Amino acid sequence: MTAVGSTAAGATDFLDEARELLATFPVVDGHNDLPWALREQVRYDLDRLDIADDQSAHLHTDLPRLRRGGVGGQFWSVFVRSDMAGDDAVSATLEQIDVVGRLLARYPQDLARASTADDMETARRQGRIASLMGAEGGHSINNSLATLRALHTLGVRYMTLTHNDNIAWADSATDAPGVGGLSAFGHEVVREMNRTGMLVDLSHVAVTTMHDALAVTEAPVIFSHSSARAICDHPRNIPDDVLALLRDNGGVAMATFVPKFILPAAVAWTARADENMRAHGLHALDTTPEAMKIHQAFEASNPRPMATAATVADHLDHMREIAGVDHIGIGGDFDGTAFTPTGLEDVAGYPNLIAELLSRKWSTSDLSKLTWQNAVRVLRAAEEVARGLRDERGPSQARITDLDGVRA
């Protein structure tokens, strides 16, 4: 079927211009789940899935395709599933951090560890991919602000407050209301993230949580991989009133490519595909080779509504209109989804999106903000806020038992 926002005639005519732009202002992608894919597929055996080679049979991501895609900065998600809890979630997060470190050590000519905005700019000048980390879900800290600080020390530069399920101190977009947004301890988590310089990521959280976090934060926030709810009415997406608040906050919303979040026709289809996975005893997020065979068999008998690069561009057009061009970015969610849009099948596809936007008369200045400058600016702003806050207050010793009256 023809997707909403089917590719504008002549967009391919802009591919050379897109690649030229990306050579100067490469993409900073807000969210890539390669570490989790390596965990699930080969239990972190980097010899079995060597990303220096073409891994398109197994992954959305490898070094040759990152280069072809014009990626210059990547937030590697150190995601662990939200059905993990307690110290098990913390340990799994540490294992994810460890494999990112191993990737950086294994491929130093291509990947550069980046902890600051200055590090990102240095990597760009060197022609390497600035590599940062983002934790996905507050369950990763097990209600401990000391653990939060430890993750920051290890290089984690954002934390998504929830994943798909509520946690004790924050409500998720895809769970029933729990604490009504952020609890008192949740407010303290945001304040401590501000003090350390860790970006508050509001992808996956309930609208109430978005509003509470924006009210308490002293630094710009991000949405590492969320699109516009006005274009696709999915709870994972960002309402217009929050996009407007983001402009005042100074943050960045990074549009995702996951079809069920961007194409209305894909929402119901994916719900049926997920139910099929559960009927086979597998998690809906499973993208192992065995799981992909089941996904593909379902798709063969149930044709999938197809999103395209133009579908993503429709979201970016709207997000630019509401939040402003200084407050948008890109967060593909590659290797964290079974399905991707036509033209954005993997990390090599970013030039197709930029060409689509060029065909819609986006300027070079606007595109350089989208791809590189906004992400670097928001991290730099968080660093500046943190320096000021550390002069004002020390590490928080608050406990969830003290603030929320619940057992840790």
Side-chain angles (χ1 to χ4, degrees), residues 301-319:
S301 58
N302 299 270
R304 174 165 57 100
M306 297 301 294
T308 69
T311 316
V312 178
D314 291 343
H315 284 263
L316 286 168
D317 278 341
H318 183 81
M319 293 160 76

Side-chain angles (χ1 to χ4, degrees), residues 50-68:
D50 184 351
I51 64 166
D53 301 326
D54 178 10
Q55 295 295 343
S56 55
H58 308 287
L59 300 167
H60 296 146
T61 308
D62 53 49
L63 295 175
R65 284 181 290 167
L66 285 166
R67 293 300 197 181
R68 292 202 302 274

